[in-house]
Amino acid sequence: MSTKLNILVPVKRVIDFALKPRINKAGTGIEKTGVKFSINPFCDIAVEEAVRIKEAHKSLVNKIHVVSIGPTKAQDVLRQSLAKGADSSTHIDSGEQEVEPLNVAKILKQVAEKNESNLIILGKQSIDDDSNNTGQMLAGLLNWPQATNAAKVEIKDDEVYVTREIDGGEETVKSKLPLIITTDLRLNEPRFASLPNMMKAKKKPLEKLKLKDFDVDLSARLEVLKVEEPAAREAGIKVGSVDELVAKLKDLKAI
């Protein structure tokens, strides 16, 4: 590939995946006070893939730039990404304001244009809202081709090959740059950020911006009416024989 890669990786700070979220007393969302936050797992995979591309094609990658929209503490996930191998970063401070996926895509479009990005790698979804549409909308806004749910990424000659899992097998698509790739869980296993690299990351560029620095109408288009726990599953029953199992299934009209 003769074109130099300017890779943009959006990352999001979310409640740690190992925790079970609790609904707040008002029933309007998830309780965030006193809860551990970390980088969204799909975003972590996106960072890892960008770094692996850089390691495999050192002369090809010009830079890896990570960006996060969120409160001040979102800088933590940026520093973590820088420690893993990203070159520079941008934090867009949104305070406590929730930014909907379409508006996230509009902001990322301006960030991509400013950084002259030609390859954007981002998680297919965040584990807090599970929207799974920011990458697709960003591709539409930029009018770029997209390869979603990537399980494998290869760069050959002047094309990028992306393999993804489908019902009954795998599908491989190819595209020239510019391109947007969204990552699936099976793409890679993210590395840990070592303490020495975390210290080095503090010296890497971290640009600080505000939502008002972007020409985007941030008016909410969605309204959360109520958030509630899923219904508890009923206890199962044990049967003493195959005949009894068949009889129960017939009673339930399952067969």
Side-chain angles (χ1 to χ4, degrees):
M1 181 176 287
S2 56
T3 305
K4 288 282 188 178
L5 288 172
N6 286 328
I7 305 175
L8 178 67
V9 185
V11 296
K12 188 176 184 181
R13 177 179 178 266
V14 298
I15 293 176
D16 191 87
F17 72 93
L19 301 180
K20 181 181 179 181
R22 294 178 290 110
I23 296 174
N24 60 27
K25 292 182 180 179
T28 56
I30 302 301
E31 181 59 59
K32 297 180 180 179
T33 304
V35 177
K36 180 184 177 183
F37 282 76
S38 59
I39 187 171
N40 178 52
F42 292 99
C43 299
D44 203 9
I45 290 169
V47 172
E48 175 67 24
E49 192 62 24
V51 173
R52 290 190 183 192
I53 291 173
K54 182 180 178 181
E55 290 173 343
H57 307 275
K58 293 181 180 179
S59 61
L60 181 61
V61 177
N62 186 36
K63 67 174 180 178
I64 299 173
H65 188 85
V66 289
V67 55
S68 186
I69 303 170
T72 303
K73 290 184 178 180
Q75 293 179 22
D76 294 344
V77 299
L78 290 174
R79 292 296 186 197
Q80 185 179 346
S81 301
L82 292 169
K84 292 185 177 188
D87 301 298
S88 57
S89 63
T90 296
H91 173 233
I92 302 166
D93 195 336
S94 62
E96 297 302 315
Q97 181 174 349
E98 295 290 337
V99 185
E100 294 179 355
L102 178 58
N103 293 331
V104 170
K106 290 179 178 179
I107 292 172
L108 292 178
K109 175 179 181 290
Q110 295 182 31
V111 174
E113 292 171 343
K114 178 181 177 181
N115 285 275
E116 298 181 343
S117 306
N118 54 7
L119 177 61
I120 302 177
I121 306 176
L122 67 162
K124 71 172 186 177
Q125 65 194 81
S126 58
I127 61 172
D128 50 5
D129 58 23
D130 279 329
S131 293
N132 192 356
N133 54 23
T134 299
Q136 292 90 325
M137 291 191 291
L138 179 56
L141 292 171
L142 287 168
N143 196 28
W144 287 11
Q146 58 181 301
T148 57
N149 302 353
K152 184 178 181 181
V153 177
E154 296 177 287
I155 297 176
K156 300 177 183 178
D157 300 323
D158 285 329
E159 294 177 319
V160 181
Y161 291 76
V162 176
T163 301
R164 56 186 180 181
E165 296 180 356
I166 59 173
D167 291 342
E170 295 181 337
E171 175 186 64
T172 300
V173 296
K174 67 177 181 179
S175 173
K176 293 184 180 296
L177 297 176
L179 173 66
I180 288 179
I181 298 174
T182 69
T183 62
D184 206 350
L185 285 175
R186 292 180 177 83
L187 179 56
N188 60 53
E189 183 70 31
R191 69 193 68 190
F192 289 100
S194 66
L195 181 58
N197 285 337
M198 286 296 292
M199 298 302 292
K200 292 177 182 178
K202 293 182 178 180
K203 298 181 180 180
K204 291 185 177 181
L206 197 162
E207 179 186 29
K208 299 177 183 179
L209 300 174
K210 302 281 188 181
L211 288 176
K212 64 181 180 180
D213 296 322
F214 295 86
D215 184 21
V216 174
D217 178 8
L218 296 171
S219 301
R221 293 171 173 79
L222 303 174
E223 179 184 359
V224 177
L225 301 178
K226 188 178 181 181
V227 179
E228 54 187 22
E229 296 278 358
R233 295 182 61 180
E234 295 182 3
I237 60 173
K238 292 183 179 181
V239 294
S241 66
V242 173
D243 291 338
E244 187 180 351
L245 172 62
V246 172
K248 290 289 185 182
L249 291 174
K250 286 182 177 178
D251 292 340
L252 295 171
K253 296 181 180 180
I255 57 174

